Amino acid sequence: MKEYGYLALTIVAMFGIILAGAWFSPTFEEQKSWMELFYLSGALLFIFSALVIFATIGFGSFAIYGAIFLAAVMGLYGVEGAFLVVVLTYITWGSIFAMQVLLFYNHLKSAIRWFKKRYTFKSFKYEYYVFYPMLWIAYLFLEIIPSILYRENFLKFVPSKVVEEMESVLQKG
C-alpha cells in the first residue's frame, strides 16, 4: 500500500508543478502552453488508469486494445469523447452482465452455461463488484417497473445470494 501512496503523491506533485507553471507564467501564451500540458497529462493518466482497471479485472487483451482505442478517440474528440466511450462501454457491458446475473439468479440454464464458459469465480467476482450498480438498475427496469405497471408481485433480488451460488457453480465446472 505504501508504494501506491508514493505513486499518488508523485502524480499529485506533477500536476501541482504544472499548475504552478501555468499560474506564475508571465504571458498568456506560456499559461496556455502549461494548461495544454496539464490537459495532456490528465488525458494520459486517464488512458493509463483505464488500461490498469481493465487489466486488473482480467481483460488483459482488451486492456491494450481499449487503451489504443481511447488514445485514438482522445486524439480525435478530446477528453470528453474518451470519457463518453468509457461511460458507454461501462453501460453496455454492465447491462449485459447484469441481465445475465438476473437470469442466473432465476436459475436459467443458458445463463449458467454463459457464466461457465466465460468466467472463473475470481473474474466473476471482479466484474460483480465493478458492475454492482448496474445490477440494481437492471433489476429496477426489468423487474420492479414492469411489476408496478402490470400490478404483479415482483421477485426479490438478493445480490449476496448470487455470489454464493456462483461460487459453487464456477468451482465445480
Side-chain angles (χ1 to χ4, degrees):
M1 194 66 185
K2 191 174 182 181
E3 64 271 3
Y4 296 122
Y6 288 135
L7 177 63
L9 183 63
T10 303
I11 292 170
V12 169
M14 181 184 76
F15 282 101
I17 291 169
I18 293 171
L19 283 176
W23 184 265
F24 293 111
S25 293
T27 66
F28 176 73
E29 285 300 318
E30 287 182 18
Q31 286 178 344
K32 184 180 168 188
S33 297
W34 281 102
M35 290 309 293
E36 286 175 358
L37 178 62
F38 180 80
Y39 291 131
L40 178 64
S41 299
L44 291 174
L45 181 63
F46 179 73
I47 292 170
F48 181 72
S49 299
L51 175 73
V52 168
I53 289 169
F54 285 136
T56 302
I57 291 174
F59 299 125
S61 59
F62 179 73
I64 298 296
Y65 165 75
I68 292 169
F69 184 71
L70 276 177
V73 168
M74 195 172 297
L76 293 171
Y77 303 108
V79 177
E80 295 87 4
F83 182 74
L84 185 63
V85 166
V86 169
V87 168
L88 291 177
T89 302
Y90 178 84
I91 289 170
T92 303
W93 184 247
S95 298
I96 293 167
F97 182 81
M99 284 187 262
Q100 289 293 339
V101 167
L102 290 174
L103 292 171
F104 173 83
Y105 185 77
N106 290 303
H107 306 291
L108 207 69
K109 291 183 193 265
S110 62
I112 295 169
R113 283 193 308 270
W114 190 81
F115 281 108
K116 282 183 175 180
K117 183 178 178 182
R118 289 173 176 79
Y119 291 94
T120 64
F121 180 67
K122 183 179 177 183
S123 65
F124 167 78
K125 206 167 177 185
Y126 280 138
E127 280 195 45
Y128 172 82
Y129 289 124
V130 168
F131 296 123
Y132 190 78
M134 293 302 294
L135 294 174
W136 288 106
I137 291 170
Y139 178 63
L140 174 74
F141 283 112
L142 296 175
E143 186 62 38
I144 294 176
I145 292 175
S147 296
I148 292 170
L149 292 175
Y150 294 113
R151 293 180 168 71
E152 297 175 349
N153 294 332
F154 57 89
L155 300 172
K156 188 176 179 184
F157 177 59
V158 182
S160 59
K161 188 176 174 188
V162 171
V163 175
E164 293 170 7
E165 289 181 23
M166 192 63 75
E167 183 175 21
S168 66
V169 167
L170 293 178
Q171 297 296 342
K172 289 179 191 173

